[in-house]
DNA sequence: ATGGCGGACATCGTCCGA
């Protein structure tokens, strides 16, 4: 089976691209972030017509997450039960034996800001929740926009970015804390091209210059990592007209 | 040092993202 994640930066604007991408890449599960839609505006009809079911939680203007899947979801959870949050950033569901957690980690704005503290607290609560979830669901995958470049090799210019939000030490510690509970970065299970990124700024021709960051990740529990046969970033949709600034990340599981 | 691009909005300037 194939699972994927894509921050679409408005599902309203990107719906046709999502449907086209699913036609080209008929993955079993696609996690979306930044849908920016309230639930009553979610384009369920169009998605179902494409052969997918969906679970989602959204709000106006900001955030919003969804899981599109060919199979029916069970045990749906919206947001982290350990972290009361008005912002809709997490949806989780079970498909067969696999537990999917779709997350849109806060951006953090700038190091030391209120939003940065919120990001760190949010990540700590995510870790604490998933530590328990992993015991309940040994086949667990955490997919999403983490808004963290875990290592310098995930940054086009690590010197210029040093200490900045998205790469700061505290954020990287929070990322490694997710690895510490037994999750594995699927992308790094395999040899990868150098300068592999999943996000490029819209400005200053960042994409053609490949000035990007790897912010979107698929973390797998040990049992799933053992079954993972590939993990790739699909740069193609970033070349399309009116693209999202993020591109999809895909993992293949022998499941 | 600033703004740059793109999306959304009790829009037409401003906030936010990364």
């Amino acid at each position: 089976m194939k699972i994927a994640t894509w921050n679409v930066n408005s599902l309203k604007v990107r719906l046709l691209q999502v449907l086209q991408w699913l036609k080209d890449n008929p993955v079993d599960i696609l996690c979306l972030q930044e849908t920016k839609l309230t639930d009553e505006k979610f384009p369920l009809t169009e998605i179902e017509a494409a052969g997918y079911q969906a679970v989602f939680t959204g709000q106006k203007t900001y955030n919003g997450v969804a899981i599109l899947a060919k199979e029916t979801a069970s045990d749906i959870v919206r947001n982290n039960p350990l972290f009361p949050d008005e912002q809709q950033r997490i949806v989780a569901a079970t498909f067969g034996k696999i537990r999917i957690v779709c997350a849109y980690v806060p951006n953090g704005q700038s190091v030391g800001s209120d939003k940065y503290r919120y990001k760190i607290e949010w990540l700590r609560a995510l870790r604490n929740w998933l530590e328990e979830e992993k015991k309940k669901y040994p086949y667990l995958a955490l997919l999403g926009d983490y808004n963290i470049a875990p290592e310098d090799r995930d940054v086009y210019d690590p010197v210029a970015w040093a200490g900045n939000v998205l790469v700061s030490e505290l954020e990287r510690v929070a990322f490694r804390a997710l690895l510490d509970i037994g999750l594995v970065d699927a992308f790094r299970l395999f040899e990868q091209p150098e300068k592999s990124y999943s996000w490029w700024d819209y400005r200053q021709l960042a994409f053609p210059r490949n000035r990007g960051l790897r912010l979107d990740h698929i973390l797998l529990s040990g049992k799933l990592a053992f079954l993972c046969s590939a993990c790739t970033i699909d740069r193609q949709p970033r070349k399309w007209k009116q693209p999202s600034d993020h591109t999809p990340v895909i993992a293949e599981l022998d499941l």
Side-chain angles (χ1 to χ4, degrees), chain A residues 2-243:
Chain A
K2 286 186 178 176
I3 63 176
T5 180
W6 190 7
N7 178 327
V8 291
N9 185 18
S10 168
L11 183 55
K12 185 182 170 195
V13 172
R14 233 67 67 187
L15 177 61
L16 292 179
Q17 295 195 23
V18 169
L19 297 177
Q20 182 60 53
W21 190 82
L22 283 172
K23 205 177 277 183
D24 300 341
N25 304 269
V27 296
D28 298 277
I29 291 167
L30 174 60
C31 296
L32 302 177
Q33 301 85 38
E34 285 207 86
T35 55
K36 298 186 177 180
L37 289 170
T38 50
D39 290 350
E40 70 273 12
K41 291 188 174 166
F42 193 88
L44 193 55
T45 311
E46 293 87 339
I47 285 164
E48 285 178 345
Y52 285 84
Q53 304 181 42
V55 294
F56 46 86
T57 180
Q59 63 187 86
K60 199 165 65 172
T61 311
Y62 302 117
N63 311 316
V65 285
I67 305 173
L68 315 191
K70 292 178 174 176
E71 267 186 76
T72 302
S74 61
D75 302 318
I76 299 158
V77 172
R78 293 174 178 82
N79 271 351
N80 180 349
L82 304 180
F83 190 85
D85 193 354
E86 303 212 329
Q87 304 186 25
Q88 302 304 307
R89 295 179 173 277
I90 291 176
V91 62
T94 298
F95 303 88
K97 72 192 313 191
I98 188 170
R99 182 68 172 172
I100 296 288
V101 181
C102 170
Y104 175 46
V105 176
N107 165 283
Q109 198 166 57
S110 62
V111 175
S113 65
D114 285 348
K115 288 178 180 175
Y116 183 81
R117 280 184 283 277
Y118 164 71
K119 178 178 193 175
I120 299 299
E121 288 303 310
W122 193 97
L123 284 162
R124 183 177 326 209
L126 176 67
R127 178 224 167 269
N128 290 342
W129 176 50
L130 290 184
E131 185 173 35
E132 297 308 310
E133 288 288 285
K134 213 172 137 282
K135 293 173 190 165
K136 272 164 69 178
Y137 307 101
Y139 294 85
L140 185 142
L142 172 63
L143 305 88
D145 175 1
Y146 290 60
N147 270 317
I148 300 171
E151 301 178 55
D152 277 354
R153 61 178 163 163
D154 302 312
V155 181
Y156 69 91
D157 186 347
V159 174
W161 275 83
N164 214 306
V165 73
L166 313 180
V167 311
S168 76
E169 193 50 31
L170 202 49
E171 291 165 271
R172 287 177 167 177
V173 165
F175 183 85
R176 291 197 292 270
L178 294 168
L179 307 183
D180 288 341
I181 63 172
L183 299 177
V184 176
D185 183 350
F187 191 72
R188 293 301 180 200
L189 286 173
F190 308 96
E191 198 162 326
Q192 299 290 358
E194 279 184 45
K195 306 182 193 307
S196 287
Y197 310 124
S198 68
W199 170 87
W200 300 260
D201 200 299
Y202 283 120
R203 295 163 286 190
Q204 299 185 292
L205 301 171
F207 181 65
R209 291 173 168 169
N210 198 28
R211 296 164 69 88
L213 306 175
R214 192 172 71 95
L215 303 178
D216 302 87
H217 311 294
I218 298 178
L219 297 194
L220 302 173
S221 65
K223 278 189 157 48
L224 278 182
F226 185 70
L227 300 175
C228 184
S229 55
C231 182
T232 55
I233 296 172
D234 181 10
R235 299 164 54 99
Q236 211 56 38
R238 192 65 174 77
K239 302 172 185 171
W240 294 348
K241 232 185 267 180
Q242 202 178 10

